[in-house]
Amino acid sequence: MKPKIYVARAVFDDVLARLREHFEVSDNPSDQVGTPAELSARLQGQVGAFITGSERIDAELLDAHPQLKAVCNMAVGYNNIDVPACTARGVIATNTPDVLTETTADFGFALMMATARRIAESEHFLRRGAWTKWSYDMFTGSDIHGATLGVLGMGRIGQAIARRGALGFGMKVIYHNRSRLDAATEADLKASYVDKDMLLREADHLVLVLPYSSASHHAIGAAELALMKPTATLTNIARGGIVDDAALAAALARGQIAAAGLDVFEGEPALNPALLNVPNVVLTPHIASATVATRRAMANLAADNLIAALGFGPNAGRPPTPINSEVLKPTA
Ligand code: 8YV
């Protein structure tokens, strides 16, 4: 008899078919995001779960399902998974790094540019029929080329954004991260390490690419926004909760910074309504990794992880991208 797994959200048919070769699959073709109780009910008897960032895996859920052996996230960020709780119970958790790096960096750059050059705001103006004449200062924004790019969180995606800024647009790149990059990588990216206050004070365009944790909760709030230049832009493609959205909406409304681009929100898919009332913000629904090719790569990597974690396929027992590899049996 095949082991049972739950695929918590709709996903590509061929990826489901790959999973069905090895497992008895329960899926969710309606793509409803279940409540924690519904997720728990669907996990009855399942040894593996294919999840996305919308499904929360915590100690209570794991305790209710001692048969669960693997939770495989179709996302690089894994703040939806209590990893220590998984590790303590011998449950392998996996994510999907690397396959989305360049796509997500493209989007971060695009959102930063749309924000600085007021693309969404001017399109709304045009669509509502408000364009009657050309004016010298109509929708004047700020330059990207030659400006100072600030990157908060210099992991894989942060570095890919820095590379675009330095090599493609002649930007001066400064960054802040928990740990400093080695000198060779800094030289390659033409990026200079600065403390967080300096990053906030100096950046013309600040992009957030750090993981969410209790330590990064509201890393950008009223005090941090107050340090930024009134001409600066802020782009968040990381996670909701890293920015205090209420403080940001207030700062945008009073012109404390010029504009913001947000792909992620506190409590998403709900939005702080104050953000809808300020014109100088570009809002997108968490789509930074959303190209067909990348979503396929993410889904296939999550499936590879689940297949291997449950002892099947060429990598049986060795999922390619584990988060808590200490749970895996040592190789002989
Ligand atoms: C996902 C993301 O689309 O990978 C991540 O961490 O934020 C996005 O690429 C989202 O989390 C759905 O799982």
Side-chain angles (χ1 to χ4, degrees):
M1 223 174 57
K2 290 177 176 174
K4 293 183 176 180
I5 64 155
Y6 178 50
V7 177
R9 302 293 303 283
V11 72
F12 301 96
D13 284 345
D14 57 316
V15 175
L16 270 183
R18 285 187 60 210
L19 292 167
R20 286 202 171 98
E21 285 172 23
H22 305 284
F23 308 119
E24 187 180 321
V25 176
S26 301
D27 65 343
N28 177 11
S30 73
D31 203 33
Q32 293 279 349
V33 182
T35 62
E38 284 162 352
L39 176 62
S40 185
R42 299 301 302 269
L43 285 173
Q44 288 300 330
Q46 315 284 354
V47 293
F50 179 116
I51 57 167
T52 73
S54 309
E55 286 72 46
R56 171 129 199 93
I57 305 292
D58 57 17
E60 193 184 330
L61 187 81
L62 294 168
D63 284 341
H65 299 284
Q67 82 290 345
L68 195 59
K69 295 284 169 268
V71 289
C72 298
N73 216 21
M74 184 183 148
V76 64
Y78 49 82
N79 55 300
N80 56 315
I81 303 176
D82 183 338
V83 178
C86 287
T87 307
R89 291 159 183 78
V91 175
I92 181 75
T94 66
N95 67 337
T96 58
D98 302 318
V99 291
L100 47 56
T101 300
E102 298 299 330
T103 294
T104 304
D106 281 351
F107 186 88
F109 218 85
L111 187 56
M112 176 184 80
M113 292 188 79
T115 301
R117 296 302 307 272
R118 306 178 65 180
I119 287 178
E121 195 184 349
S122 59
E123 195 208 349
H124 294 151
F125 167 86
L126 194 145
R127 280 180 186 273
R128 67 174 181 266
W131 189 25
T132 54
K133 62 178 186 339
W134 179 93
S135 314
Y136 80 98
D137 62 348
M138 187 169 69
F139 292 108
T140 45
S142 59
D143 280 325
I144 300 292
H145 72 274
T148 298
L149 169 64
V151 181
L152 183 57
M154 198 59 141
R156 286 167 284 231
I157 299 170
Q159 291 179 35
I161 290 173
R163 193 170 290 114
R164 281 161 177 72
L167 307 184
F169 288 79
M171 299 180 86
K172 174 182 171 190
V173 179
I174 55 177
Y175 76 98
H176 183 73
N177 196 44
R178 274 174 308 184
S179 50
R180 189 172 170 171
L181 299 175
D182 60 69
T185 310
E186 281 189 358
D188 176 43
L189 298 171
K190 302 188 196 316
S192 306
Y193 181 84
V194 293
D195 66 29
K196 187 177 165 190
D197 277 14
M198 173 86 108
L199 184 80
L200 294 164
R201 287 182 208 280
E202 297 287 316
D204 294 313
H205 304 295
L206 177 62
V207 182
L208 308 180
V209 210
L210 66 169
Y212 179 81
S213 68
S214 51
S216 62
H217 181 74
H218 286 187
I220 303 293
E224 289 74 19
L225 291 162
L227 295 179
M228 292 177 67
K229 297 178 185 179
T231 49
T233 72
L234 173 71
T235 298
N236 186 9
I237 57 162
R239 276 290 179 272
I242 291 175
V243 174
D244 177 343
D245 285 348
L248 175 61
L252 289 167
R254 60 174 177 268
Q256 192 170 31
I257 65 168
L262 304 175
D263 187 49
V264 288
F265 305 89
E266 285 189 283
E268 65 183 52
L271 239 66
N272 185 319
L275 287 171
L276 296 171
N277 294 327
V278 282
N280 46 346
V281 61
V282 185
L283 307 167
T284 53
H286 201 149
I287 55 168
S289 66
T291 65
V292 178
T294 291
R295 286 288 165 80
R296 291 192 63 80
M298 292 165 69
N300 274 306
L301 180 53
D304 291 344
N305 276 314
L306 192 46
I307 291 166
L310 294 178
F312 295 91
N315 303 318
R318 320 269 5 130
T321 51
I323 301 166
N324 55 350
S325 54
E326 60 272 35
V327 163
L328 299 171
K329 291 197 183 69
T331 43

Coordinates of all heavy atoms in Angstrom, one line a residue, residues 13-14 21 81 113 172 181 209:
D13 N -0.9 19.8 -12.5 CA -1.4 18.5 -12.6 C -0.2 17.5 -12.7 O -0.3 16.4 -12.2 CB -2.3 18.3 -13.9 CG -3.6 18.9 -13.6 OD1 -4.0 19.2 -12.5 OD2 -4.4 19.1 -14.6
D14 N 0.8 17.8 -13.5 CA 1.9 16.9 -13.7 C 2.7 16.7 -12.4 O 3.3 15.6 -12.2 CB 2.8 17.3 -14.9 CG 3.4 18.6 -14.7 OD1 2.6 19.6 -14.3 OD2 4.6 18.8 -15.0
E21 N 2.6 8.7 -8.3 CA 3.4 7.5 -8.6 C 3.9 6.8 -7.4 O 4.1 5.6 -7.3 CB 4.7 7.9 -9.4 CG 4.4 8.2 -10.9 CD 5.6 8.8 -11.6 OE1 6.8 8.5 -11.1 OE2 5.4 9.5 -12.6
I81 N 6.5 27.5 9.4 CA 6.8 26.2 10.0 C 7.6 26.4 11.3 O 8.6 27.1 11.3 CB 7.7 25.3 9.1 CG1 6.9 25.1 7.7 CG2 8.0 24.0 9.7 CD1 7.8 24.4 6.7
M113 N 11.5 49.9 -9.1 CA 11.5 50.9 -10.2 C 10.1 51.5 -10.4 O 9.9 52.7 -10.6 CB 12.0 50.2 -11.5 CG 13.4 49.8 -11.5 SD 14.0 49.3 -13.1 CE 14.3 50.8 -14.0
K172 N 25.2 52.7 -6.5 CA 26.1 52.4 -5.3 C 25.3 51.5 -4.4 O 24.2 51.8 -4.0 CB 26.4 53.8 -4.6 CG 27.2 53.6 -3.3 CD 27.4 55.0 -2.7 CE 28.0 54.8 -1.3 NZ 28.0 56.0 -0.6
L181 N 29.2 39.7 4.5 CA 29.7 38.9 3.4 C 31.2 38.9 3.4 O 31.8 39.8 3.9 CB 29.2 39.4 2.0 CG 27.7 39.5 1.8 CD1 27.4 40.2 0.4 CD2 27.1 38.1 1.8
V209 N 14.8 42.2 2.1 CA 14.9 40.8 1.6 C 15.3 39.9 2.7 O 16.0 38.9 2.5 CB 15.9 40.7 0.4 CG1 15.4 39.6 -0.5 CG2 16.0 42.0 -0.4

